[in-house]
Amino acid sequence: MESSLKSTPHSVKRWQLGGTDYEPQQVHRQRSETCFSTWTPLNNRTSNIQLFEERRNLLLHWFDLWTDRQRKQLLYSLLTRCSKTQLKYCRDLLIETVPVTQVDFTAVLPRFLSLYVMSFLSPRDLCSAAQVSWQWRVLAEQDCLWADRCIKRGWFLPYAPAEKEFGAWKTHYISCVSTLDWLTPREAAEQYGTLNQQSTEEAEERRKERRIRQMIRGKLQEEKRESIRTRRVWGSNANPEGARGGRTQTGRSSPGMTSRSWPSLSWPQTLVGSPSLSLEGGRHVSASQSLERVQASNPSSERVNTANGALSSFTCKPAVLQAATPIHRPAPPLLLLMSNRIPAYELLLSGVKAGVIVVLYDHRGTLSALLTQAERAISGKRVQRLGLLAPGGTEEIHLLESCSLSQATLLTPDHREFWEKLSGWVALTEEGGGIDIFSPLAASASGLALMQALSTLTGLEVQAPMGLATGNFQNILSEWSDSSVCTRFSKEQPAGPALLYVCESVLQGWCRQAQWMEEALGELRGRLGPQLQRASLQARGRALGHFLWEEICLEDLCVSKELKVALTEGLVALTRQEETKPVEFLVLFLTRWSEEKEREERSGERKWSSQRGLSSMSELQEMALDWRGTVARELHHSECVYLGRLGAVLKVYKEPLTAALNSNRAILSFTDIHIVLSPVTHILELSKEFQMDLGARLQQWGAEQCVGDVLVKLCSKLKVYTNYLNNYTTALCTIDKCRETKPPFRAFLKRADRTLAAHMLSLQELLMCPVWRIQEYVTLLQALSVHTPPGHPDHKHLSSALNSMLRFREFIQKLKRNSERNKLMEETQQTIQGCPNLNEGNRQLITTQDAALLRSPGEQIPDSLRTYEHVSDVGLFLFNDALVLTRRNVHHTPFSLAHQSTHTFLASVALCSLRVREITHTRYVSHAFVLEGPCRSWVCASGREEEREHFLSVLRSSIKSALKGHQ
């Protein structure tokens, strides 16, 4: 008995040894009693249940000790061995344990209930619901949903639908909506009026009552002031004379307060005849507005009527009549939208006139953010005109980085909503309202079509430069499509539309020197930017612009164009001759030059007076001829200037370097000279030939004269420019390398750059001239094509040359975009320490944002009571496919206000898996948002509300584009 007890382990021990190879004799004898089973006794039911419970407990014990991955593998193995009934049991058990919170209601609810739910959707929402799935599409296109919408609008089917016809009423609704003549809000208001619009009689009656109330109030105020002057001051024993004067006979001030310093309890203090009666919050309130507020606060006050003779007891004094005169209202301001991508925009900000509201916006934003910024700037006011200064050309305007305004994109929903709302804040065309676009859209047919479409959409007059002048932005100062608008605002001589917004001296300096000003302002942004970092973008721009304007004194340097030409010709003549008295020679030259100009003007006046008797038809033909001649002469004149700059490259640089090489005093090797300067020689030969052919045509200019074949000949040899552009980057690198490694070449550049012979330009700037010239070719060709009628024999050749130039300009723009993208990615790679390689694929940097990283101590606290802790400063770098978060460290310079920021790589999240959520503004947190990635989330906060709105709008737009590209 004892031996048997010793040989048989305890039940707990047996449970622990159940998964081992231990086999006691009793179990071995029990095996022989089982049938076809080594573990489960089939004959003894009690033993079977007991053994099953023990093994299940053992399995659960193992399951608790396993990892999550091992548990999932076990579940997978068990489910694959189950039958269908067992799987259904698992499904029901899971549904009961983990109830479904989001389910397709069309699959659960009956069909009539699903249709009832969809009946509350708008037609646009029904069309969106039809794109969810086939089940939703079948329900969303049912005739019972669309028939009621059509019948309410009086749209009936012209036929009886067949028995199995599907979606007939929806198709009929779409066809009726697409053929409607929609009116803009302005056109609808002009044609049908508005709900709050009053009739003329009611408005006149209201104005009359308002004048009467104002006269009564003026009389009451005068009586109250008289009573205050004559009575004794409260809290003083001084006599009325002393109280009225405010000083006693001894010259000392009265111990009490004077009547003028004591506030009135019932009526605000004012002077007699003053148009403003009170001050509320630092702004003047008119008498009529104050009286309306008093009557609104006292509903029991009776209205004054002129018919009952209520004014018979009042004798109106001149002061009261003066107060009843109409109040002068200032003219509506002008609104100028300015992109920060414009070169040297800070200089323009410093010269904006007083009556202009400037909205300086980030070029990397969205249309909704720009509209919100403009609405916040005007503060509900109505502006007289709208100006738009953004990068663009003759066919489209790059309003934003990812949003271009052209004839194809104008009628998209985003652009349509933007321009309709924006035009609603501008005065009518009859009142002088309109839109001024600072891009030469009037130089091309597509640009004119865009202006016409924009005018039709907004109901306003749209005008733009005609592109008849060449240079940086000098076409803004040239002829516009309609300059008659300026005479409505200026009683003196008419000016260009751009001068309504910016001072003339600043605008002229910017138009001629914008590219060079951008270099100087780039240095200023880097040096003064950290000190002005707390200020807004517009405040920083104005500060930098004023600083630059005061330093360079452009206003003192600006001279007229004629005087500049005369001085240039005089200096060139002076260099050709050896004069001992250069000042006297220059004075004589300028005197002769002015006399010749006067003779030319007199001869021109005689010629004009002799031609005044022409008929109207001949005048129109001459005007059309003059436009073509103006563009052709500008093309020839600019080509001469272009030839002079190309010739300066050879005369100032190539000839001395080649001569030094031949005389065994080499400054540069033959290979370097060939790489840098030889491509310019081929372009110079081509331009000389083109200039001679064009000059010959201009000498015999007439109505039927053609220049298109000359331009086609030029376009057939554009391969010279292609070779030059492909070699342009190599040439610049060669110049930089030789300048660093060869001191003689560095000294040579110091002597040759910025001289009169080099047109006051450096070698690198002269090598940029062919790139600028292509854009000038395109603008002048488009202007020439616009003013050439289709039946003209030159029209075909001009169209062919224009198409070739447009393709070549697109090639240049592509090279420029790639260069800028590579440069920006390299700078970003150097800025972020420890960052992986960013220059992969077609990745582009969209925007950056500085923010604060927050942390909440408890997630169970409600959002309105949750507090956040500032953990660190971060930088957000948004690319077109990912968002990079960096830890931003600020290092201050000793004994200085300047500081520098460094960025360390923290994390990166793909935009396809990123979610954005805004945090409601509370007393504990402001301007915050949450970035949720697949593994973790970050709570960030910006410094200003405008920065958060701008960054989140750009981020959501980028996420949407990334999801579309991923699909």
Side-chain angles (χ1 to χ4, degrees):
M1 181 68 180
E2 294 179 358
S3 62
S4 63
L5 290 176
K6 292 181 180 180
S7 61
T8 304
H10 192 266
S11 60
V12 178
K13 187 67 176 178
R14 291 198 307 268
W15 178 76
Q16 293 178 353
L17 298 175
T20 63
D21 295 337
Y22 174 78
E23 295 182 359
Q25 297 180 0
Q26 184 177 0
V27 177
H28 182 69
R29 288 195 303 269
Q30 197 174 16
R31 277 186 181 179
S32 60
E33 298 176 0
T34 60
C35 180
F36 301 106
S37 176
T38 58
W39 288 96
T40 305
L42 298 179
N43 297 332
N44 192 346
R45 180 177 179 83
T46 305
S47 301
N48 190 347
I49 296 174
Q50 181 182 359
L51 195 59
F52 172 76
E53 292 293 334
E54 291 178 354
R55 292 170 181 171
R56 186 183 66 174
N57 295 335
L58 179 61
L59 180 61
L60 294 176
H61 175 71
W62 289 343
F63 189 86
D64 294 336
L65 298 178
W66 287 343
T67 61
D68 181 73
R69 183 178 181 183
Q70 292 172 340
R71 294 179 182 182
K72 291 178 180 179
Q73 290 179 357
L74 176 64
L75 292 176
Y76 177 77
S77 302
L78 291 176
L79 291 176
T80 52
R81 292 173 178 267
C82 293
S83 62
K84 289 186 178 181
T85 56
Q86 295 166 354
L87 291 175
K88 289 180 180 179
Y89 174 79
C90 294
R91 181 196 62 188
D92 298 338
L93 185 62
L94 286 174
I95 292 175
E96 183 179 357
T97 306
V98 185
V100 179
T101 56
Q102 297 179 355
V103 67
D104 187 0
F105 68 95
T106 60
V108 178
L109 296 178
R111 182 184 179 90
F112 73 94
L113 288 180
S114 300
L115 291 174
Y116 179 72
V117 172
M118 288 190 174
S119 65
F120 293 97
L121 299 179
S122 63
R124 185 187 295 270
D125 295 334
L126 282 174
C127 294
S128 300
Q131 301 176 4
V132 175
S133 62
W134 281 102
Q135 174 71 13
W136 284 50
R137 180 179 179 183
V138 171
L139 294 175
E141 294 183 356
Q142 291 296 320
D143 291 339
C144 60
L145 298 177
W146 294 93
D148 185 57
R149 290 171 169 78
C150 292
I151 293 172
K152 283 182 179 179
R153 292 166 175 80
W155 301 336
F156 297 93
L157 276 178
Y159 66 95
E163 182 179 356
K164 295 184 179 181
E165 187 174 359
F166 180 72
W169 284 97
K170 178 183 178 180
T171 306
H172 183 61
Y173 183 92
I174 294 174
S175 62
C176 292
V177 169
S178 60
T179 55
L180 284 178
D181 293 330
W182 293 96
L183 297 177
T184 61
R186 188 183 301 279
E187 294 174 349
E190 293 177 357
Q191 185 171 353
Y192 303 106
T194 56
L195 295 177
N196 57 355
Q197 185 177 5
Q198 301 176 355
S199 62
T200 308
E201 297 178 358
E202 293 179 357
E204 183 65 26
E205 187 69 23
R206 185 177 292 273
R207 285 194 296 270
K208 188 182 297 182
E209 292 181 2
R210 189 172 297 174
R211 287 196 298 269
I212 294 172
R213 293 192 192 99
Q214 191 173 0
M215 293 168 62
I216 294 174
R217 182 176 178 180
K219 180 65 177 177
L220 293 176
Q221 282 182 322
E222 184 66 24
E223 292 179 356
K224 199 166 192 67
R225 280 195 295 271
E226 288 295 332
S227 64
I228 292 176
R229 293 192 189 99
T230 56
R231 73 183 181 183
R232 183 172 298 179
V233 182
W234 297 343
S236 68
N237 296 322
N239 55 3
E241 288 77 7
R244 187 184 305 120
R247 287 182 178 271
T248 60
Q249 294 178 357
T250 60
R252 296 180 182 178
S253 59
S254 172
M257 296 178 61
T258 62
S259 62
R260 295 184 183 274
S261 63
W262 194 272
S264 176
L265 295 179
S266 57
W267 297 97
Q269 183 180 359
T270 181
L271 297 176
V272 179
S274 176
S276 65
L277 298 176
S278 63
L279 281 173
E280 296 183 10
R283 57 186 179 89
H284 291 278
V285 182
S286 63
S288 58
Q289 294 174 347
S290 300
L291 185 57
E292 287 178 356
R293 293 180 183 178
V294 171
Q295 289 186 352
S297 63
N298 187 12
S300 62
S301 62
E302 298 179 357
R303 305 186 103 185
V304 182
N305 192 1
T306 57
N308 57 10
L311 295 177
S312 59
S313 61
F314 296 100
T315 57
C316 299
K317 296 182 179 181
V320 180
L321 294 177
Q322 182 180 359
T325 55
I327 300 173
H328 174 70
R329 298 181 182 274
L334 305 177
L335 178 62
L336 177 61
L337 303 181
M338 184 185 300
S339 171
N340 67 341
R341 190 59 58 88
I342 293 293
Y345 67 88
E346 293 93 342
L347 190 63
L348 284 178
L349 278 177
S350 64
V352 172
K353 293 187 176 179
V356 179
I357 300 175
V358 184
V359 177
L360 179 63
Y361 64 92
D362 196 339
H363 193 72
R364 301 169 297 184
T366 58
L367 286 177
S368 59
L370 175 57
L371 189 64
T372 303
Q373 190 176 356
E375 184 178 6
R376 188 176 300 166
I378 63 177
S379 302
K381 301 177 183 177
R382 194 177 188 184
V383 298
Q384 186 69 34
R385 296 188 68 83
L386 171 65
L388 178 60
L389 182 56
T394 55
E395 298 173 346
E396 62 180 5
I397 301 172
H398 303 291
L399 191 60
L400 297 170
E401 189 172 24
S402 59
C403 182
S404 296
L405 176 63
S406 62
Q407 189 180 3
T409 61
L410 178 61
L411 298 180
T412 57
D414 295 339
H415 276 280
R416 188 184 185 93
E417 181 183 3
F418 173 78
W419 286 105
E420 284 182 352
K421 290 184 178 180
L422 197 60
S423 62
W425 305 330
V426 185
L428 299 175
T429 306
E430 295 78 9
E431 302 174 359
I435 301 176
D436 303 320
I437 301 178
F438 293 73
S439 294
L441 293 179
S444 64
S446 56
L448 289 173
L450 172 60
M451 293 170 58
Q452 181 63 32
L454 186 59
S455 177
T456 303
L457 176 63
T458 59
L460 299 172
E461 180 185 12
V462 181
Q463 56 181 355
M466 301 181 66
L468 301 181
T470 55
N472 290 331
F473 292 94
Q474 296 188 28
N475 48 39
I476 296 178
L477 301 175
S478 65
E479 294 290 335
W480 282 56
S481 57
D482 185 12
S483 300
S484 61
V485 183
C486 304
T487 58
R488 306 174 191 172
F489 305 97
S490 178
K491 297 182 180 179
E492 302 176 356
Q493 58 181 0
L499 299 179
L500 299 174
Y501 302 89
V502 187
C503 298
E504 183 177 2
S505 57
V506 177
L507 185 62
Q508 287 185 357
W510 176 80
C511 288
R512 295 187 174 95
Q513 307 292 334
Q515 300 294 341
W516 287 269
M517 296 295 178
E518 177 64 21
E519 297 182 5
L521 283 166
E523 295 293 332
L524 285 178
R525 295 188 199 112
R527 294 180 179 272
L528 300 181
Q531 283 79 0
L532 302 174
Q533 194 170 12
R534 292 183 178 271
S536 62
L537 181 64
Q538 188 168 341
R540 290 201 302 266
R542 285 185 182 273
L544 294 177
H546 280 294
F547 180 81
L548 182 67
W549 180 257
E550 292 175 359
E551 287 296 322
I552 61 178
C553 299
L554 269 181
E555 191 172 4
D556 300 335
L557 298 177
C558 287
V559 295
S560 62
K561 187 176 181 181
E562 296 179 355
L563 182 58
K564 183 171 64 175
V565 173
L567 287 173
T568 304
E569 294 179 358
L571 292 174
V572 171
L574 183 62
T575 55
R576 293 175 182 172
Q577 301 179 6
E578 297 181 359
E579 292 289 337
T580 57
K581 298 179 179 180
V583 179
E584 296 179 359
F585 174 80
L586 190 59
V587 170
L588 292 175
F589 181 86
L590 293 177
T591 304
R592 294 172 186 172
W593 185 84
S594 61
E595 293 176 355
E596 292 178 359
K597 282 294 180 182
E598 289 180 359
R599 293 195 208 100
E600 292 179 359
E601 291 178 358
R602 291 173 184 173
S603 62
E605 291 178 358
R606 297 193 193 98
K607 184 177 180 181
W608 171 252
S609 60
S610 63
Q611 293 179 353
R612 291 182 64 182
L614 297 176
S615 61
S616 59
M617 184 61 67
S618 61
E619 288 178 357
L620 293 176
Q621 293 178 357
E622 184 179 358
M623 186 179 298
L625 174 64
D626 186 47
W627 280 121
R628 294 189 72 245
T630 301
V631 179
R633 285 189 290 271
E634 178 63 27
L635 180 61
H636 182 265
H637 171 70
S638 58
E639 190 69 21
C640 294
V641 176
Y642 177 54
L643 280 176
R645 293 180 177 179
L646 292 181
V649 176
L650 302 183
K651 183 178 180 181
V652 179
Y653 296 96
K654 186 176 181 180
E655 291 180 1
L657 291 176
T658 306
L661 181 64
N662 295 332
S663 61
N664 294 328
R665 298 177 181 177
I667 300 176
L668 284 183
S669 63
F670 175 78
T671 304
D672 294 335
I673 297 175
H674 180 76
I675 291 175
V676 176
L677 302 174
S678 291
V680 182
T681 307
H682 304 296
I683 296 180
L684 181 62
E685 295 175 357
L686 178 61
S687 298
K688 282 183 178 180
E689 184 179 357
F690 171 67
Q691 188 260 349
M692 293 176 59
D693 295 340
L694 188 60
R697 299 296 175 90
L698 287 176
Q699 290 179 359
Q700 302 176 357
W701 187 257
E704 299 297 326
Q705 184 61 272
C706 298
V707 294
D709 53 343
V710 179
L711 292 166
V712 170
K713 181 180 178 181
L714 173 66
C715 294
S716 63
K717 301 179 180 180
L718 287 179
K719 187 177 180 181
V720 176
Y721 281 89
T722 305
N723 297 334
Y724 176 82
L725 292 173
N726 292 332
N727 186 65
Y728 177 66
T729 306
T730 306
L732 292 181
C733 295
T734 304
I735 293 174
D736 296 338
K737 182 187 67 175
C738 295
R739 188 176 181 277
E740 294 295 330
T741 58
K742 298 180 179 180
F745 182 65
R746 183 165 57 248
F748 172 76
L749 289 181
K750 189 175 182 180
R751 294 192 306 268
D753 285 346
R754 312 289 184 184
T755 59
L756 183 62
H759 296 267
M760 304 304 297
L761 300 174
S762 64
L763 176 59
Q764 292 85 348
E765 293 168 353
L766 287 173
L767 294 179
M768 275 287 292
C769 292
V771 181
W772 297 338
R773 187 56 181 166
I774 294 298
Q775 178 60 42
E776 293 177 356
Y777 280 149
V778 172
T779 304
L780 294 174
L781 267 174
Q782 287 175 335
L784 196 59
S785 300
V786 167
H787 299 292
T788 302
H792 197 276
D794 202 21
H795 186 268
K796 182 178 180 181
H797 288 151
L798 287 176
S799 301
S800 176
L802 179 59
N803 293 332
S804 301
M805 283 293 178
L806 288 174
R807 289 193 298 268
F808 197 78
R809 186 188 66 174
E810 182 64 28
F811 168 69
I812 295 178
Q813 291 176 352
K814 184 178 180 181
L815 292 178
K816 185 178 179 180
R817 287 194 299 267
N818 293 337
S819 176
E820 292 177 351
R821 181 176 64 87
N822 295 335
K823 180 182 177 182
L824 186 59
M825 295 299 293
E826 290 177 1
E827 293 177 353
T828 308
Q829 186 78 50
Q830 295 175 0
T831 302
I832 305 176
Q833 301 176 3
C835 183
N837 186 20
L838 296 175
N839 199 0
E840 296 178 353
N842 196 22
R843 181 173 295 161
Q844 298 179 7
L845 179 63
I846 299 177
T847 185
T848 59
Q849 178 64 47
D850 294 338
L853 185 63
L854 308 179
R855 183 177 61 188
S856 177
E859 298 295 336
Q860 292 77 18
I861 305 174
D863 293 341
S864 59
L865 302 176
R866 187 179 301 174
T867 59
Y868 293 89
E869 177 188 1
H870 186 178
V871 179
S872 63
D873 295 330
V874 294
L876 305 176
F877 292 80
L878 178 60
F879 298 89
N880 58 342
D881 59 344
L883 177 67
V884 175
L885 289 86
T886 62
R887 188 179 301 276
R888 183 168 57 92
N889 298 320
V890 180
H891 305 281
H892 290 268
T893 306
F895 309 104
S896 176
L897 297 176
H899 62 274
Q900 185 179 4
S901 299
T902 58
H903 295 266
T904 306
F905 179 76
L906 186 63
S908 62
V909 186
L911 295 183
C912 300
S913 59
L914 181 65
R915 292 188 300 173
V916 185
R917 178 170 56 88
E918 297 186 22
I919 297 179
T920 307
H921 178 77
T922 63
R923 58 188 297 184
Y924 305 107
V925 65
S926 59
H927 319 318
F929 53 93
V930 181
L931 302 174
E932 297 179 352
C935 299
R936 57 171 300 186
S937 61
W938 299 269
V939 181
C940 304
S942 60
R944 299 183 182 88
E945 180 66 22
E946 296 83 3
E947 294 179 354
R948 186 186 77 158
E949 291 179 358
H950 171 259
F951 179 74
L952 291 185
S953 62
V954 177
L955 179 58
R956 290 192 178 101
S957 178
S958 302
I959 291 174
K960 188 181 298 183
S961 302
L963 290 175
K964 290 182 180 179
H966 186 69
Q967 292 176 357

